[in-house]
Amino acid sequence: SQQGEEDPQALSIQEGENATMNCSYKTSINNLQWYRQNSGRGLVHLILIRSNEREKHSGRLRVTLDTSKKSSSLLITASRAADTASYFCATDAQGGGADGLTFGKGTHLIIQP
Amino acid sequence: DTEVTQTPKHLVMGMTNKKSLKCEQHMGHRAMYWYKQKAKKPPELMFVYSYEKLSINESVPSRFSPECPNSSLLNLHLHALQPEDSALYLCASSQDSVRVAEAFFGQGTRLTVV
């Protein structure tokens, strides 16, 4: 079963605007990760935030984590056409579950030039 | 070298064929994974190898058979597949468990079963 649920499922914005995607999950986690996927090829790791962290930055990316609400958000600032992709949140399973990532449904982001 | 290499990139096979997908990494990672991804869906975990031992089999049909010959290589043997098995098959590796580390993904093998 899927752990994460992203919203929106699709997002179209103008180049230069900020894009925000949200993710909710169900069980306790050790960390939450965000990945990008271009055109159905391999996934690229963007950022990992641990369960004891609340916010993390990497370049134009800002991720927040609220473990009390079991939710996370990914903000991409000053978007570029090259940011067009699908974005997935992924969680591990804390406490002895399957040792692999469980992915949310993803947000398909389109940046209009 | 931060790459996970998957071969072939594309594969078309009949339902009676036997084929293998290959995955290789030289980052010294101790965990390797197979995921299956259908169109417009998220990746779904199939197999996990940790220190060359199969630790998780997510109730995948026996027509999929994983093999980890050594810590750098991961194979997925395919036999008697069904058309609904057509998908993108992704290999990934991580330095240790994904409980503490990020995963690196290959570009995938796009499999079509005819």
Side-chain angles (χ1 to χ4, degrees):
Chain A
S1 63
Q2 285 158 10
Q3 168 79 305
E5 297 280 337
E6 279 100 329
D7 77 88
Q9 291 190 1
L11 178 62
S12 180
I13 61 173
Q14 295 293 318
E15 194 167 20
E17 294 180 340
N18 295 341
T20 299
M21 290 158 269
N22 301 297
C23 166
S24 60
Y25 58 93
K26 298 175 183 174
T27 65
S28 297
I29 61 172
N30 292 294
N31 67 66
L32 186 142
Q33 305 183 31
W34 285 90
Y35 288 81
R36 184 186 74 222
Q37 185 176 38
N38 291 83
S39 302
R41 300 307 295 183
L43 285 82
V44 174
H45 179 262
L46 296 176
I47 200 162
L48 180 155
I49 186 166
R50 304 195 189 284
S51 60
N52 61 352
E53 297 176 310
R54 292 296 167 259
E55 187 171 314
K56 204 161 183 180
H57 296 255
S58 177
R60 294 184 295 113
L61 305 180
R62 173 178 170 257
V63 167
T64 63
L65 179 64
D66 187 336
T67 52
S68 66
K69 296 181 180 178
K70 291 186 168 59
S71 67
S72 173
S73 68
L74 170 67
L75 168 67
I76 303 174
T77 61
S79 63
R80 305 167 182 169
D83 295 329
T84 294
S86 292
Y87 292 81
F88 294 94
C89 69
T91 54
D92 70 312
Q94 192 182 59
D99 185 21
L101 293 171
T102 302
F103 287 86
K105 292 181 179 178
T107 293
H108 184 53
L109 175 66
I110 297 173
I111 308 299
Q112 309 272 8
Chain B
D1 183 359
T2 58
E3 279 194 359
V4 175
T5 303
Q6 288 188 244
T7 55
K9 287 185 170 51
H10 300 273
L11 178 62
V12 179
M13 61 183 291
M15 290 187 285
T16 59
N17 291 161
K18 286 184 180 181
K19 296 287 185 183
S20 296
L21 309 184
K22 297 185 183 301
C23 175
E24 190 168 2
Q25 58 89 11
H26 295 288
M27 294 178 279
H29 288 176
R30 306 309 304 198
M32 296 186 77
Y33 312 83
W34 280 115
Y35 286 85
K36 174 182 177 180
Q37 185 179 26
K38 301 283 279 184
K40 300 188 186 302
K41 298 289 186 182
E44 294 183 345
L45 183 65
M46 298 176 72
F47 300 105
V48 178
Y49 273 88
S50 179
Y51 291 84
E52 301 169 44
K53 292 187 179 177
L54 182 63
S55 61
I56 298 289
N57 175 342
E58 292 283 299
S59 301
V60 176
S62 60
R63 56 186 184 269
F64 296 92
S65 175
E67 178 194 18
C68 189
N70 60 55
S71 60
S72 299
L73 297 174
L74 189 64
N75 298 321
L76 185 63
H77 302 297
L78 314 172
H79 173 57
L81 294 193
Q82 303 297 310
E84 59 264 29
D85 297 320
S86 298
L88 182 67
Y89 288 84
L90 294 161
C91 173
S93 70
S94 59
Q95 184 174 14
D96 205 321
S97 162
V98 287
R99 299 176 199 280
V100 296
E102 68 266 36
F104 291 77
F105 282 80
Q107 289 300 300
T109 294
R110 188 161 299 282
L111 174 68
T112 303
V113 182
V114 296

